[in-house]
Amino acid sequence: GKTQESFSPSSPSWASFMRVNPLLDWSYRDVWRFLKEFDLPYCSIYDQGYTSIGHRGNTEKNLLLRLPDGTYLPAHRLQSDCPDAERNGRRETSQEQGSRPPTSMRRGARSAL
């Protein structure tokens, strides 16, 4: 989220742990440059015009990648000065507005280990 830093403690409703975010300062282009340069695998639906993958109820093709003929460019071709352009492929749902961590990750939950 916007309040995350390179090292951030977990949210109050979650079990206590330290989040490590080594890619936090990478741009969308940095991520794709890295994936392409090292020929790393990624989810194939990014090649169909999706730029931000959530779940079936909130994931859509990014209209910024739509061509006049109705087809879509792959995600790595997204060109925008807007830092949130990647999120244009997601819509907020009522499920996300009240989301909570899984029971096993909530503060005070017993470990299955």
Side-chain angles (χ1 to χ4, degrees), residues 9-53:
S10 56
S11 302
S13 62
W14 287 62
S16 181
F17 64 92
M18 182 61 66
R19 288 185 174 105
V20 179
N21 302 300
L23 308 179
L24 190 64
D25 294 324
W26 284 28
S27 70
Y28 183 79
R29 287 186 186 123
D30 291 336
V31 171
W32 279 108
R33 189 175 303 119
F34 183 81
L35 290 171
K36 292 297 197 173
E37 183 172 333
F38 292 100
D39 197 27
L40 297 172
Y42 57 87
C43 183
S44 63
I45 71 169
Y46 285 110
D47 290 331
Q48 300 169 25
Y50 294 91
T51 54
S52 182
I53 300 171

Side-chain angles (χ1 to χ4, degrees), residues 84-96:
D84 294 326
E86 172 250 341
R87 299 292 287 183
N88 283 351
R90 293 275 290 279
R91 65 173 188 265
E92 189 172 316
T93 64
S94 58
Q95 178 180 357
E96 291 172 321

Side-chain angles (χ1 to χ4, degrees), residues 44-110:
S44 63
I45 71 169
Y46 285 110
D47 290 331
Q48 300 169 25
Y50 294 91
T51 54
S52 182
I53 300 171
H55 56 80
R56 288 183 187 202
N58 75 346
T59 302
E60 300 174 336
K61 292 181 180 183
N62 191 322
L63 293 176
L64 296 173
L65 293 170
R66 188 172 180 185
L67 297 172
D69 67 0
T71 61
Y72 287 80
L73 293 170
H76 72 270
R77 299 276 308 271
L78 181 65
Q79 301 290 320
S80 176
D81 293 331
C82 175
D84 294 326
E86 172 250 341
R87 299 292 287 183
N88 283 351
R90 293 275 290 279
R91 65 173 188 265
E92 189 172 316
T93 64
S94 58
Q95 178 180 357
E96 291 172 321
Q97 292 169 353
S99 67
R100 290 181 44 99
T103 303
S104 63
M105 292 299 294
R106 292 187 194 141
R107 181 179 303 282
R110 287 195 222 185

